[in-house]
Amino acid sequence: MKKPLRKAVLPVAGLGTRFLPATKAMAKEMLPVVDKPLIQYAIEEARAAGIEQFCMVTGRGKTALVEHFDIAFELEATLRQRNRLEAMEALKGTIVEPGSMVTVRQQVPMGLGHAIWCARAFIGDDPFAILLPDDLVLSRTPCLKQLADAYNETGGNVVAVVEVPREHTNRYGILKTGADDGRLVEVQGLVEKPAPADAPSNLSIIGRYVLMPEVIGHLAKMERGAGNEVQLTDGMAKLIGNQPFHGLRYEGTRFDCGDKVGFLEAQIAFALARPDLAAAVRAFLPKYS
Ligand code: G1P
């Protein structure tokens, strides 16, 4: 009997050094794509997948992330008084159920695996999703919903995967693949950021996961991996053979918003997907090509 997927962990403790100076006094997850911060895309995507409880793994200087999902009483009162209905509508996605969002702190930057371990009390004995807000996916069905559906089919662990150029395997967690029906692929092994020559495939993990709580026991050993960090990929690899583990080739386009070029491309793609902006953006784009 599969337990329903209701929890999501969002690691947001990173320093965002690649976006300095913008991120000097502001969390990188507050950077907007068009008019919405990255963190809100992640929360909305999680909600669309049936997630009801959220845990942000934060660090120092990240309080804006918590504020963003609180009621801004004065702002709302002013908007109501001025009858600014559109602006009030824009705030809707920022409101979460009372008590449904918690934060824990990752006091030391020991890696993604360590960040997830920091959420262990929240996770308890339940399956949980992970969303890395830097990875933004433009798709017909929200990416995490696709993973949740796959989890309901297969049970066990499911990660979102995409083929990358061979020379990029050293940027991602990479799969050693087993049976493959073109959509779901059986995971036989996982390696974090292998050199192209050592990579078992060019199928990479993107920042969307559905994992079983047993991964926490493996992360708790705090074994250091690539970059001398506690790697989530290494913890997940220990589950293989004991539980189902699949990669899902999701439908959609992924943008790496942790990278300047990926972030700029996301702005254009998401603007073009907006009925209120597409025509105006299309009109100015040729000027720059
Ligand atoms: C992390 C994971 C990696 C995964 C990637 C997806 O790496 O460690 O396995 O492929 O996210 O974006 P990071 O981007 O934090 O270096």
Side-chain angles (χ1 to χ4, degrees):
M1 179 65 187
K2 288 186 277 286
K3 273 196 180 179
L5 181 67
R6 295 286 178 259
K7 294 181 176 178
V9 178
L10 299 105
V12 291
L15 293 177
T17 47
R18 280 192 281 179
F19 279 92
L20 284 170
T23 49
K24 184 183 173 192
M26 184 183 80
K28 67 169 174 172
E29 296 79 11
M30 287 303 293
L31 290 171
V33 169
V34 185
D35 52 8
K36 203 193 284 184
L38 289 169
I39 187 68
Q40 195 180 331
Y41 284 97
I43 295 288
E44 289 182 1
E45 183 181 326
R47 269 206 206 104
I51 300 295
E52 293 170 354
Q53 297 174 51
F54 307 90
C55 177
M56 292 198 285
V57 183
T58 66
R60 290 173 62 79
K62 298 277 184 169
T63 42
L65 293 170
V66 178
E67 294 288 333
H68 188 74
F69 294 99
D70 196 1
I71 291 177
F73 182 76
E74 298 87 341
L75 175 63
E76 287 186 24
T78 308
L79 293 176
R80 202 171 302 121
Q81 203 179 20
R82 296 183 184 170
N83 208 24
R84 297 285 307 277
L85 299 180
E86 263 181 49
M88 284 173 70
E89 186 67 24
L91 289 177
K92 270 204 170 145
T94 66
I95 303 305
V96 296
E97 280 288 297
S100 67
M101 183 176 277
V102 300
T103 62
V104 296
R105 283 216 179 193
Q106 183 187 26
Q107 295 107 322
V108 282
M110 278 171 62
L112 181 58
H114 177 259
I116 299 304
W117 173 82
C118 287
R120 63 198 179 284
F122 168 81
I123 294 164
D125 293 327
D126 294 316
F128 65 104
I130 301 173
L131 299 99
L132 309 185
D134 276 0
D135 275 334
L136 208 51
V137 184
L138 189 58
S139 55
R140 281 190 299 272
T141 305
C143 187
L144 191 67
K145 171 79 168 86
Q146 298 179 44
L147 280 193
D149 290 345
Y151 164 70
N152 287 330
E153 277 173 46
T154 62
N157 307 275
V158 191
V159 293
V161 297
V162 67
E163 259 98 17
V164 292
R166 265 271 155 190
E167 61 269 27
H168 291 173
T169 57
N170 59 359
R171 300 182 188 178
Y172 304 105
I174 299 291
L175 271 61
K176 179 172 187 284
T177 61
D180 187 348
D181 70 6
R183 186 178 80 98
L184 276 173
V185 45
E186 185 198 337
V187 179
Q188 286 190 345
L190 289 167
V191 194
E192 180 68 9
K193 302 193 172 79
D198 307 327
S201 76
N202 66 337
L203 206 51
S204 81
I205 303 174
I206 74 153
R208 299 291 183 277
Y209 310 72
V210 173
L211 297 181
M212 298 300 105
E214 287 76 15
V215 74
I216 296 296
H218 297 298
L219 296 173
K221 294 180 188 132
M222 296 296 150
E223 287 167 13
R224 303 281 182 144
N228 198 33
E229 292 188 338
V230 179
Q231 294 293 350
L232 176 61
T233 301
D234 297 341
M236 295 192 305
K238 304 257 171 59
L239 300 173
I240 299 167
N242 299 318
Q243 298 176 339
F245 209 130
H246 293 88
L248 173 74
R249 287 194 187 81
Y250 57 94
E251 168 275 312
T253 308
R254 173 271 196 124
F255 299 91
D256 178 4
C257 293
D259 170 77
K260 288 187 186 73
V261 175
F263 182 65
L264 291 171
E265 194 180 341
Q267 303 288 349
I268 303 292
F270 276 74
L272 289 173
R274 287 260 301 250
D276 58 332
L277 296 172
V281 175
R282 254 182 235 294
F284 76 59
L285 273 181
K287 277 202 275 181
Y288 300 95
S289 59

